[in-house]
């Protein structure tokens, strides 16, 4: 599988497994904690070595919006297997394509829209503060997925709309490429 993060090559991932994932799981076992659920490792690359920024026991925003669309396996079956302690025996399949997320509002084609700061009033979708939406798109390359999301965001319009124009740029620059600036 292709790593969605260019610096997370085989060597970096091995370090994550050996230095962070295994010690965390072994520490839970050592402390007698029968943990069943998500463990989200917020990591950064510090000179080729992984460093933990945070641990979470849930999927976060915007991570969920780019991980869940790629999940081909039925999430309820995975939850059930987790609860029964049989997750290791379960099939787990991810879509190999990249998926990216950008915040925005409606009129979307070929993307998935996740509502966050919206509400319905009189049959209309209105903004309701905070992050309004996430627009997630697939692509065989990260640049393709980003372009699709940004193309859809360009179709959006609402009062005081703003969105980040730097999503994915750090990863593309690591690969030695630069996505065309979106105006």
């Amino acid at each position: 599988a292709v790593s969605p993060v260019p610096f997370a090559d085989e060597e970096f991932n091995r370090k994550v497994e050996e230095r962070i994932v295994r010690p965390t799981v072994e520490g839970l076992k050592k402390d007698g904690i029968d943990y069943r659920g998500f463990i989200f490792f917020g990591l950064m690359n510090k000179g080729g070595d992984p460093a933990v920024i945070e641990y979470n026991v849930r999927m976060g925003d915007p991570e969920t919006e780019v991980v869940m669309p790629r999940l081909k396996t039925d999430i309820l079956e995975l939850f059930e297997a987790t609860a029964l302690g049989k997750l290791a025996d379960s099939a787990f399949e991810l879509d190999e394509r990249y998926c990216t997320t950008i915040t925005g509002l409606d009129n979307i084609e070929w993307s998935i829209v996740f509502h966050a700061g919206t509400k319905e009033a009189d049959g209309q979708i209105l903004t309701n503060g905070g992050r309004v939406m996430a627009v997630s798109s697939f692509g065989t390359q990260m640049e393709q997925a980003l372009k699709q999301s940004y193309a859809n965001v360009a179709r959006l319009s609402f009062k005081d709309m703003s969105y980040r124009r730097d999503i994915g740029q750090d990863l593309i620059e690591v690969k030695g490429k630069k996505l065309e600036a979106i105006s």
Side-chain angles (χ1 to χ4, degrees), residues 133-164:
M133 291 195 160
V135 178
S136 297
S137 304
F138 284 110
T140 55
Q141 300 291 321
M142 186 184 317
E143 295 84 352
Q144 182 185 20
L146 282 168
K147 284 182 181 182
Q148 181 66 41
S149 288
Y150 277 119
N152 279 310
V153 170
R155 295 181 177 130
L156 307 176
S157 172
F158 57 92
K159 186 179 181 204
D160 298 326
M161 177 178 157
S162 66
Y163 61 93
R164 291 185 51 187

Short mmCIF file of all heavy atoms in Angstrom, two decimals, residues 133-164:
data_model
loop_
_atom_site.label_atom_id
_atom_site.label_comp_id
_atom_site.label_asym_id
_atom_site.label_seq_id
_atom_site.Cartn_x
_atom_site.Cartn_y
_atom_site.Cartn_z
N MET A 133 -18.24 22.72 7.11
CA MET A 133 -18.30 21.45 6.39
C MET A 133 -16.90 20.98 6.07
O MET A 133 -15.95 21.75 6.09
CB MET A 133 -19.05 21.59 5.07
CG MET A 133 -20.50 21.83 5.21
SD MET A 133 -21.28 21.54 3.62
CE MET A 133 -22.93 21.28 4.18
N ALA A 134 -16.84 19.72 5.72
CA ALA A 134 -15.62 19.15 5.15
C ALA A 134 -16.00 18.54 3.81
O ALA A 134 -17.03 17.88 3.70
CB ALA A 134 -15.04 18.09 6.07
N VAL A 135 -15.20 18.79 2.79
CA VAL A 135 -15.43 18.24 1.46
C VAL A 135 -14.30 17.25 1.19
O VAL A 135 -13.14 17.64 1.06
CB VAL A 135 -15.44 19.34 0.38
CG1 VAL A 135 -15.64 18.73 -1.01
CG2 VAL A 135 -16.52 20.37 0.68
N SER A 136 -14.64 15.96 1.14
CA SER A 136 -13.64 14.90 0.96
C SER A 136 -13.74 14.34 -0.45
O SER A 136 -14.83 14.08 -0.94
CB SER A 136 -13.87 13.77 1.97
OG SER A 136 -13.71 14.25 3.28
N SER A 137 -12.59 14.13 -1.10
CA SER A 137 -12.56 13.63 -2.47
C SER A 137 -11.50 12.55 -2.62
O SER A 137 -10.48 12.57 -1.93
CB SER A 137 -12.23 14.77 -3.44
OG SER A 137 -13.15 15.82 -3.31
N PHE A 138 -11.76 11.64 -3.54
CA PHE A 138 -10.81 10.58 -3.86
C PHE A 138 -9.95 10.97 -5.05
O PHE A 138 -10.35 11.77 -5.89
CB PHE A 138 -11.54 9.28 -4.22
CG PHE A 138 -12.11 8.54 -3.06
CD1 PHE A 138 -13.48 8.48 -2.87
CD2 PHE A 138 -11.29 7.89 -2.15
CE1 PHE A 138 -14.03 7.78 -1.81
CE2 PHE A 138 -11.82 7.19 -1.09
CZ PHE A 138 -13.19 7.13 -0.92
N GLY A 139 -8.79 10.36 -5.16
CA GLY A 139 -7.92 10.49 -6.32
C GLY A 139 -6.85 9.43 -6.24
O GLY A 139 -6.47 9.01 -5.16
N THR A 140 -6.35 9.00 -7.39
CA THR A 140 -5.27 8.01 -7.37
C THR A 140 -3.96 8.63 -6.91
O THR A 140 -3.06 7.94 -6.46
CB THR A 140 -5.08 7.36 -8.76
OG1 THR A 140 -4.85 8.40 -9.72
CG2 THR A 140 -6.29 6.53 -9.15
N GLN A 141 -3.87 9.95 -7.00
CA GLN A 141 -2.75 10.72 -6.48
C GLN A 141 -3.30 11.76 -5.51
O GLN A 141 -4.43 12.22 -5.66
CB GLN A 141 -2.00 11.44 -7.61
CG GLN A 141 -1.43 10.51 -8.67
CD GLN A 141 -0.28 9.69 -8.13
OE1 GLN A 141 0.55 10.20 -7.36
NE2 GLN A 141 -0.21 8.43 -8.50
N MET A 142 -2.49 12.13 -4.52
CA MET A 142 -2.94 13.13 -3.55
C MET A 142 -3.33 14.43 -4.25
O MET A 142 -4.34 15.06 -3.92
CB MET A 142 -1.86 13.40 -2.51
CG MET A 142 -2.34 14.32 -1.40
SD MET A 142 -1.08 14.77 -0.21
CE MET A 142 -0.24 13.24 0.07
N GLU A 143 -2.53 14.84 -5.24
CA GLU A 143 -2.80 16.08 -5.95
C GLU A 143 -4.17 16.05 -6.63
O GLU A 143 -4.89 17.04 -6.63
CB GLU A 143 -1.71 16.35 -7.00
CG GLU A 143 -0.33 16.59 -6.42
CD GLU A 143 0.46 15.32 -6.12
OE1 GLU A 143 -0.10 14.20 -6.22
OE2 GLU A 143 1.63 15.42 -5.77
N GLN A 144 -4.53 14.91 -7.19
CA GLN A 144 -5.83 14.75 -7.86
C GLN A 144 -6.97 14.89 -6.85
O GLN A 144 -7.97 15.57 -7.12
CB GLN A 144 -5.88 13.40 -8.57
CG GLN A 144 -7.14 13.15 -9.34
CD GLN A 144 -7.17 11.74 -9.92
OE1 GLN A 144 -6.45 10.85 -9.48
NE2 GLN A 144 -7.98 11.55 -10.92
N ALA A 145 -6.83 14.27 -5.70
CA ALA A 145 -7.87 14.36 -4.67
C ALA A 145 -8.01 15.80 -4.17
O ALA A 145 -9.12 16.30 -3.99
CB ALA A 145 -7.55 13.41 -3.51
N LEU A 146 -6.89 16.47 -3.97
CA LEU A 146 -6.93 17.86 -3.53
C LEU A 146 -7.59 18.76 -4.56
O LEU A 146 -8.42 19.60 -4.23
CB LEU A 146 -5.51 18.38 -3.24
CG LEU A 146 -4.90 17.93 -1.92
CD1 LEU A 146 -3.42 18.25 -1.90
CD2 LEU A 146 -5.61 18.57 -0.75
N LYS A 147 -7.24 18.58 -5.83
CA LYS A 147 -7.83 19.40 -6.89
C LYS A 147 -9.34 19.22 -6.95
O LYS A 147 -10.08 20.18 -7.16
CB LYS A 147 -7.19 19.09 -8.24
CG LYS A 147 -5.82 19.70 -8.39
CD LYS A 147 -5.23 19.42 -9.76
CE LYS A 147 -3.84 20.03 -9.86
NZ LYS A 147 -3.25 19.82 -11.19
N GLN A 148 -9.80 17.98 -6.78
CA GLN A 148 -11.25 17.72 -6.80
C GLN A 148 -11.94 18.43 -5.63
O GLN A 148 -12.98 19.06 -5.82
CB GLN A 148 -11.53 16.22 -6.73
CG GLN A 148 -13.01 15.86 -6.77
CD GLN A 148 -13.64 16.21 -8.09
OE1 GLN A 148 -13.06 16.00 -9.15
NE2 GLN A 148 -14.83 16.76 -8.06
N SER A 149 -11.36 18.35 -4.44
CA SER A 149 -11.96 19.04 -3.29
C SER A 149 -11.95 20.55 -3.49
O SER A 149 -12.96 21.22 -3.26
CB SER A 149 -11.21 18.68 -2.00
OG SER A 149 -11.48 17.35 -1.62
N TYR A 150 -10.83 21.10 -3.94
CA TYR A 150 -10.77 22.55 -4.15
C TYR A 150 -11.71 22.99 -5.27
O TYR A 150 -12.30 24.07 -5.18
CB TYR A 150 -9.34 22.99 -4.47
CG TYR A 150 -8.48 23.19 -3.24
CD1 TYR A 150 -7.32 22.44 -3.04
CD2 TYR A 150 -8.81 24.15 -2.29
CE1 TYR A 150 -6.54 22.64 -1.92
CE2 TYR A 150 -8.03 24.35 -1.17
CZ TYR A 150 -6.89 23.59 -0.99
OH TYR A 150 -6.12 23.78 0.13
N ALA A 151 -11.89 22.18 -6.31
CA ALA A 151 -12.83 22.53 -7.38
C ALA A 151 -14.24 22.63 -6.83
O ALA A 151 -15.01 23.53 -7.21
CB ALA A 151 -12.76 21.49 -8.51
N ASN A 152 -14.60 21.73 -5.94
CA ASN A 152 -15.93 21.78 -5.33
C ASN A 152 -16.06 22.95 -4.36
O ASN A 152 -17.11 23.59 -4.30
CB ASN A 152 -16.26 20.45 -4.65
CG ASN A 152 -16.74 19.44 -5.65
OD1 ASN A 152 -17.62 19.72 -6.45
ND2 ASN A 152 -16.15 18.26 -5.64
N VAL A 153 -15.02 23.25 -3.61
CA VAL A 153 -15.08 24.39 -2.71
C VAL A 153 -15.28 25.68 -3.50
O VAL A 153 -16.00 26.58 -3.08
CB VAL A 153 -13.82 24.46 -1.82
CG1 VAL A 153 -13.76 25.79 -1.06
CG2 VAL A 153 -13.80 23.31 -0.83
N ALA A 154 -14.69 25.75 -4.70
CA ALA A 154 -14.84 26.95 -5.54
C ALA A 154 -16.29 27.15 -5.97
O ALA A 154 -16.68 28.26 -6.33
CB ALA A 154 -13.93 26.84 -6.77
N ARG A 155 -17.11 26.11 -5.94
CA ARG A 155 -18.52 26.21 -6.30
C ARG A 155 -19.38 26.71 -5.14
O ARG A 155 -20.56 26.94 -5.30
CB ARG A 155 -19.04 24.84 -6.74
CG ARG A 155 -18.39 24.32 -7.98
CD ARG A 155 -18.98 22.97 -8.35
NE ARG A 155 -18.38 22.52 -9.59
CZ ARG A 155 -17.85 21.34 -9.77
NH1 ARG A 155 -17.88 20.44 -8.80
NH2 ARG A 155 -17.32 21.01 -10.92
N LEU A 156 -18.79 26.80 -3.97
CA LEU A 156 -19.55 27.12 -2.77
C LEU A 156 -19.58 28.62 -2.51
O LEU A 156 -18.67 29.35 -2.88
CB LEU A 156 -18.93 26.43 -1.56
CG LEU A 156 -18.73 24.92 -1.71
CD1 LEU A 156 -18.02 24.37 -0.50
CD2 LEU A 156 -20.04 24.24 -1.94
N SER A 157 -20.62 29.03 -1.82
CA SER A 157 -20.73 30.44 -1.47
C SER A 157 -21.65 30.59 -0.27
O SER A 157 -22.76 30.06 -0.27
CB SER A 157 -21.29 31.21 -2.67
OG SER A 157 -21.57 32.53 -2.31
N PHE A 158 -21.21 31.27 0.75
CA PHE A 158 -22.06 31.65 1.86
C PHE A 158 -21.38 32.81 2.59
O PHE A 158 -20.18 33.04 2.43
CB PHE A 158 -22.39 30.49 2.80
CG PHE A 158 -21.20 29.78 3.40
CD1 PHE A 158 -20.68 30.18 4.62
CD2 PHE A 158 -20.65 28.69 2.76
CE1 PHE A 158 -19.61 29.50 5.18
CE2 PHE A 158 -19.58 28.01 3.31
CZ PHE A 158 -19.06 28.42 4.53
N LYS A 159 -22.16 33.56 3.33
CA LYS A 159 -21.66 34.75 4.01
C LYS A 159 -20.47 34.42 4.91
O LYS A 159 -20.50 33.45 5.67
CB LYS A 159 -22.78 35.38 4.84
CG LYS A 159 -22.37 36.70 5.47
CD LYS A 159 -23.49 37.32 6.27
CE LYS A 159 -22.97 38.63 6.83
NZ LYS A 159 -23.64 39.07 7.98
N ASP A 160 -19.43 35.22 4.80
CA ASP A 160 -18.21 35.09 5.61
C ASP A 160 -17.49 33.77 5.40
O ASP A 160 -16.76 33.30 6.28
CB ASP A 160 -18.51 35.30 7.10
CG ASP A 160 -19.05 36.69 7.41
OD1 ASP A 160 -18.63 37.64 6.72
OD2 ASP A 160 -19.89 36.80 8.31
N MET A 161 -17.69 33.15 4.24
CA MET A 161 -17.03 31.87 3.95
C MET A 161 -15.52 32.06 3.90
O MET A 161 -15.01 33.00 3.32
CB MET A 161 -17.52 31.32 2.61
CG MET A 161 -16.84 30.04 2.20
SD MET A 161 -17.51 29.44 0.65
CE MET A 161 -16.17 28.44 0.08
N SER A 162 -14.83 31.16 4.54
CA SER A 162 -13.38 31.11 4.43
C SER A 162 -12.98 29.64 4.47
O SER A 162 -13.71 28.81 4.99
CB SER A 162 -12.71 31.89 5.56
OG SER A 162 -12.97 31.27 6.80
N TYR A 163 -11.85 29.34 3.87
CA TYR A 163 -11.36 27.98 3.90
C TYR A 163 -9.85 27.99 3.79
O TYR A 163 -9.25 28.95 3.31
CB TYR A 163 -11.99 27.12 2.79
CG TYR A 163 -11.71 27.60 1.38
CD1 TYR A 163 -10.64 27.10 0.65
CD2 TYR A 163 -12.53 28.55 0.78
CE1 TYR A 163 -10.38 27.52 -0.63
CE2 TYR A 163 -12.29 28.97 -0.51
CZ TYR A 163 -11.21 28.46 -1.21
OH TYR A 163 -10.95 28.89 -2.49
N ARG A 164 -9.27 26.93 4.26
CA ARG A 164 -7.82 26.79 4.22
C ARG A 164 -7.37 26.47 2.80
O ARG A 164 -7.97 25.65 2.13
CB ARG A 164 -7.36 25.72 5.19
CG ARG A 164 -7.58 26.16 6.63
CD ARG A 164 -7.03 25.20 7.61
NE ARG A 164 -5.65 24.84 7.32
CZ ARG A 164 -4.99 23.90 7.98
NH1 ARG A 164 -5.58 23.24 8.95
NH2 ARG A 164 -3.75 23.61 7.67
#
